[in-house]
Amino acid sequence: MAEKYTPDEPIAAVATALSPAALGIVRTSGKGSIELVSKLFSRPDALCSAAGNTIVYGWITDGTERIDEVLVSVFHAPKSFTGEDMVEISCHGGPSVVTAVHNLLLSHGFRQAERGEFTFRAYINGKTDLTRAEAVREIIDSHTDASRGRAAGRLAGSLYEEIDSIKKLLTDTLASIEVEVEYPEDEETIAGSFDRAGIEKAVGLLQSLADSWKSEKLYQDGARVVLCGRTNAGKSSLFNAILKEDRAIVSEVAGTTRDWLESWASFDGIPVRLFDTAGLRETTDVVEKQGVELTRSLTNDADVVLYLIDSGLGFSGDDGQFLRHCGEPVVIVWNKCDKSGGRQRLTSEQKKLIRRLASEVYVSAKSGAGIADLLKSVKTVLTAGMSTERIQAGLGSARQKAAVEEALESVKHSLVSADDNYTLDAVVQDLEDALESLGEVTGEVTPDDVLGSIFSRFCVGK
């Protein structure tokens, strides 16, 4: 990434979607960016003399005609997002207007920004660390309030602060060892030469951080949940009820759903790709038969299968035939409970057919009754064995997890070195290795290829 551009070079990019909207934003950054924009502005003197963090009204013009009436936000280095001089042009949101303003900038001294280049400049100029920078992308990609909230915690610096507190434990121990090296009382042993409590505390904190990634990954990437069951069990109705919109066609005619539908949904805060599938039944219809095969294929890749059964009809041989081949966690959803007059339950023999039965829930897709319990039940399955509640934000990427695990291994080894009466130099090396690994998490020590991988996944205007 660092090889793709020259720091301070004026860059520009469209920061909003190119679709009809009330407003569009074109942002610029770099040395001389304010002066360059002023040459295309109807009030150049006002723009050049504007104080930082102020807005100037005027027109963008190419010298012969006015392009658009705009508000220009001015930021002076270092008090800006990138730490450089910045100008953000708020224009009308029509794609042709935004594109015209952007192209005008590119033809008058600005270079098209690379993906994530604004955030990269914020990082290299000390305005942010890598944990906060990665959190920016997480917030943009978040699918639920819960996933956004977790990313916001990292953006606010909670992960950085926790890493920093662990580093302090290690550096304090290193300082005490250095005193021992300078003034040794016993050159034959290092037993008792430093306080183990700090190192053991660091091990616990690092282990907790490493364990947090599984849960954080779930909230970032989401899970696959597949609705399946016999025809007319109410899958499409439940799909619509969970989404709170009419996405799937609902009909009393069996076999209406022939292909699968997919949409993101929030299952008690966890982002889920929810699939509505064709009803399971024997059919001679070629298209419907293909839909049934797709249903079987989708369930093989599911994290949880929601198997719907009409409470009025009960469990059938067709249900058992499908479920005995299902290797994924299954939540049995008894639907239409408002009509059945009572709650059915799986018999012990029926339960034996299901290899990974998670729970049974009772809902009415028509009235919405029981859906909250269904969402909580699925969340319980997805988070089984995870630590989902932390005061501090957990790890935000696989890169962070790998670096923390390396630090954890080094710190654990330092305790082994001390217990085995290795030289102080061996313990020091382990702790220094751990500090270097933690430096990779926050970006104090990070190879260029890693930076390129991180920022290349950002939007162009971010």
Side-chain angles (χ1 to χ4, degrees):
M1 182 74 182
E3 297 175 354
K4 289 186 178 181
Y5 64 88
T6 304
D8 290 335
E9 185 179 12
I11 57 173
V14 176
T16 49
L18 280 175
S19 58
L23 291 174
I25 296 176
V26 181
R27 68 187 334 198
T28 72
S29 182
K31 188 175 181 180
S33 58
I34 297 174
E35 291 76 12
L36 285 172
V37 173
S38 72
K39 296 176 181 179
L40 306 172
F41 192 58
S42 61
R43 301 172 61 208
D45 293 338
L47 186 58
C48 288
S49 61
N53 303 310
T54 60
I55 297 175
V56 183
Y57 162 78
W59 286 78
I60 292 294
T61 173
D62 63 3
T64 59
E65 65 174 341
R66 291 177 171 181
I67 305 298
D68 192 25
E69 187 178 25
V70 300
L71 292 175
V72 178
S73 302
V74 181
F75 306 91
H76 291 294
K79 295 182 178 181
S80 71
F81 174 71
T82 62
E84 305 170 332
D85 285 348
M86 289 187 70
V87 171
E88 292 191 350
I89 303 169
S90 299
C91 56
H92 292 94
S96 63
V97 176
V98 176
T99 301
V101 173
H102 180 230
N103 289 340
L104 189 62
L105 294 172
L106 296 185
S107 63
H108 285 78
F110 287 95
R111 171 178 61 75
Q112 170 64 47
E114 300 284 350
R115 282 181 172 270
E117 189 167 350
F118 290 93
T119 308
F120 186 92
R121 290 190 176 198
Y123 162 67
I124 63 173
N125 289 325
K127 302 297 290 185
T128 188
D129 70 281
L130 279 191
T131 63
R132 291 181 176 95
E134 288 177 293
V136 171
R137 182 181 58 81
E138 293 169 37
I139 287 177
I140 293 171
D141 294 341
S142 60
H143 293 283
T144 67
D145 287 343
S147 56
R148 174 196 50 75
R150 286 168 175 253
R154 283 184 284 276
L155 181 60
S158 60
L159 178 57
Y160 177 87
E161 291 167 2
E162 186 161 358
I163 293 293
D164 200 48
S165 68
I166 297 171
K167 288 169 66 177
K168 187 176 186 305
L169 290 171
L170 302 183
T171 53
D172 287 349
T173 301
L174 278 172
S176 68
I177 293 177
E178 288 174 3
V179 171
E180 181 69 19
V181 171
E182 290 295 327
Y183 305 101
E185 294 180 1
D186 184 356
E187 295 182 357
E188 300 300 323
T189 178
I190 65 168
S193 64
F194 63 92
D195 183 10
R196 295 177 61 95
I199 299 302
E200 289 172 347
K201 183 178 180 181
V203 168
L205 292 172
L206 287 168
Q207 187 65 65
S208 177
L209 269 180
D211 292 343
S212 73
W213 169 237
K214 189 175 182 181
S215 173
E216 296 296 331
K217 187 175 188 297
L218 174 63
Y219 277 89
Q220 283 183 31
D221 297 345
R224 291 167 63 94
V225 174
V226 176
L227 286 165
C228 58
R230 282 181 286 157
T231 56
N232 278 359
K235 297 181 296 298
S236 294
S237 295
L238 182 58
F239 183 77
N240 290 341
I242 292 173
L243 297 183
K244 298 179 181 178
E245 60 178 291
D246 292 333
R247 281 288 309 278
I249 297 174
V250 177
S251 171
E252 295 294 329
V253 178
T256 299
T257 303
R258 298 184 168 211
D259 201 354
W260 52 267
L261 293 176
E262 170 192 355
S263 183
W264 283 101
S266 174
F267 273 54
D268 204 22
I270 295 177
V272 161
R273 289 175 63 192
L274 183 65
F275 294 83
D276 177 30
T277 63
L280 300 169
R281 69 169 181 171
E282 293 296 326
T283 178
T284 57
D285 186 294
V286 176
V287 177
E288 187 182 352
K289 190 172 184 179
Q290 212 169 12
V292 172
E293 291 304 313
L294 279 172
T295 299
R296 299 182 190 278
S297 177
L298 284 169
T299 56
N300 291 335
D301 295 325
D303 294 297
V304 177
V305 171
L306 299 183
Y307 193 87
L308 267 70
I309 302 175
D310 187 327
S311 295
L313 300 178
F315 193 92
S316 74
D318 289 337
D319 296 322
Q321 181 65 25
F322 175 83
L323 289 169
R324 79 162 43 91
H325 297 293
C326 187
E328 292 65 40
V330 175
V331 174
I332 295 296
V333 183
W334 294 97
N335 190 27
K336 305 181 184 180
C337 290
D338 53 333
K339 292 182 178 180
S340 64
R343 287 192 171 187
Q344 297 204 39
R345 293 185 181 277
L346 294 175
T347 66
S348 57
E349 290 301 314
Q350 291 167 349
K351 288 180 180 179
K352 290 178 183 178
L353 293 173
I354 307 171
R355 283 185 276 173
R356 300 179 64 185
L357 175 63
S359 63
E360 296 179 67
V361 294
Y362 302 86
V363 305
S364 167
K366 183 177 180 179
S367 70
I371 290 180
D373 292 334
L374 170 62
L375 302 185
K376 289 179 181 178
S377 180
V378 173
K379 179 180 180 179
T380 298
V381 177
L382 293 174
T383 59
M386 296 183 190
S387 176
T388 57
E389 303 299 329
R390 281 175 53 86
I391 297 175
Q392 294 280 73
L395 298 177
S397 69
R399 178 197 70 82
Q400 294 172 7
K401 176 178 181 287
V404 165
E405 287 182 334
E406 288 176 3
L408 176 60
E409 186 64 27
S410 296
V411 175
K412 283 182 175 179
H413 194 266
S414 75
L415 291 174
V416 173
S417 298
D419 291 340
D420 292 346
N421 284 328
Y422 279 50
T423 65
L424 285 174
D425 288 344
V427 178
V428 168
Q429 186 62 58
D430 285 331
L431 296 182
E432 287 181 344
D433 288 346
L435 286 170
E436 184 171 353
S437 296
L438 293 178
E440 290 185 12
V441 177
T442 56
E444 295 167 57
V445 182
T446 308
D448 282 349
D449 59 338
V450 174
L451 294 178
S453 174
I454 292 171
F455 289 100
S456 65
R457 296 194 294 269
F458 279 61
C459 307
V460 171
K462 197 64 183 172

